[in-house]
Amino acid sequence: MQTQARTGMRTYPMNSPAAPAEKRKTRSLTAELVDQLSAEIQKGDLSSGEKLPTEAAIMARFGVSRTVVREAISKLQAGGLVETRHGIGTFVLTQTDPPSFRVNPNQLSTLHDVIALLELRISIETEAAALAAVRRTEGNLRIMQEAMLAFSTAIEAGRDAIAADFQFHHEIARATQNKHFADMMNSLGAQSIPRARLETTPTLDATRLAYLRRVHQEHENILNAIAQQDAESARAAMRTHLSNSRDRHKKGASSHH
């Protein structure tokens, strides 16, 4: 079966000269859509708590593909403008009352900044994983499993999986049944995933794919410990996962992570 790259509404073989240009076009359209939707949210045309139109409606209104819509919504999530609730839809978050703790995107512009944020995440999420192991519900586990599946599906399709990565970590915070952990993760947003700030490669090469598969395995170790209600193992698995990420960055981010 021939490998193909899906870009926009059209599908090209990977060796087609049209594919790179189409990818650049997709990224440009995504940025335009993010700008337009952000402006509507900031002006109040899309008000706090309001559900965004369906993907199909946004596609029809702006004349863009489903790929562009999904990428734009992922970026709006990373910016803390919207949140997606599984099986319900995507909703506008309150903009008038920002959390007291907030990491601004321009505070994560350098490798040093990203490492500093990982140090904070290690201290918070290690304990969150232990609490989640004790307190998680079947619903929490189901959402973690859905995020794992979305992560795996995305990377095997040649896409990065930042939104699914963040959803997995966010659900662990929610599984503590302590709203302060979930609020803290909301404040950090999907931009707290290092790849969201240091992304330079639009496609997944073999090195990057191998790295993301390691991340997936680390997530699986965390999920298994939480599912088994083993607080010590969950704590250790989360510390290993985030420490590995920090150490990879300290080594110079040779593969842009």
Side-chain angles (χ1 to χ4, degrees), residues 1-4 12-15:
M1 183 174 174
Q2 187 179 26
T3 303
Q4 296 182 323
Y12 296 100
M14 287 297 276
N15 58 2

Side-chain angles (χ1 to χ4, degrees), residues 41-233:
I41 291 170
Q42 302 293 358
K43 286 189 299 183
D45 295 341
L46 289 168
S47 57
S48 174
E50 185 177 344
K51 185 176 176 179
L52 287 189
T54 62
E55 286 182 356
I58 297 174
M59 287 163 62
R61 179 182 165 197
F62 293 99
V64 294
S65 70
R66 191 175 302 276
T67 300
V68 168
V69 173
R70 287 181 173 174
E71 288 181 1
I73 287 174
S74 180
K75 290 183 185 301
L76 291 172
Q77 286 175 321
L81 295 176
V82 302
E83 69 172 359
T84 298
R85 300 172 198 162
H86 269 277
I88 305 174
T90 300
F91 295 82
V92 178
L93 290 171
T94 303
Q95 304 303 311
T96 52
D97 185 21
S100 54
F101 176 85
R102 190 85 192 174
V103 175
N104 194 297
N106 62 21
Q107 291 176 285
L108 290 171
S109 56
T110 70
L111 188 58
H112 179 271
D113 295 330
V114 169
I115 291 169
L117 182 58
L118 278 166
E119 289 174 350
L120 175 68
R121 288 184 60 201
I122 288 167
S123 65
I124 294 168
E125 293 188 63
T126 296
E127 290 309 307
L131 288 172
V134 176
R135 301 175 182 171
R136 93 291 185 279
T137 65
E138 289 302 314
N140 294 139
L141 286 179
R142 187 170 62 252
I143 293 173
M144 288 178 216
Q145 287 161 347
E146 286 172 1
M148 291 267 297
L149 179 60
F151 186 100
S152 177
T153 301
I155 64 174
E156 297 306 328
R159 303 191 311 275
D160 213 320
I162 291 163
D165 195 333
F166 178 72
Q167 185 195 1
F168 178 75
H169 284 271
H170 185 242
E171 192 58 28
I172 290 171
R174 289 184 64 224
T176 65
Q177 316 306 329
N178 177 333
K179 71 181 290 292
H180 297 300
F181 281 99
D183 286 349
M184 178 66 82
M185 288 303 291
N186 269 338
S187 299
L188 295 177
Q191 66 190 10
S192 63
I193 304 299
R195 303 189 309 282
R197 307 307 309 167
L198 299 172
E199 175 62 74
T200 57
T201 321
T203 53
L204 298 188
D205 58 23
T207 304
R208 189 173 180 78
L209 182 58
Y211 159 75
L212 290 171
R213 283 175 174 157
R214 283 199 305 277
V215 169
H216 182 66
Q217 181 60 56
E218 290 169 3
H219 283 171
E220 199 162 338
N221 294 342
I222 296 165
L223 177 59
N224 287 341
I226 291 174
Q228 291 161 15
Q229 298 193 290
D230 184 338
E232 284 307 313
S233 292

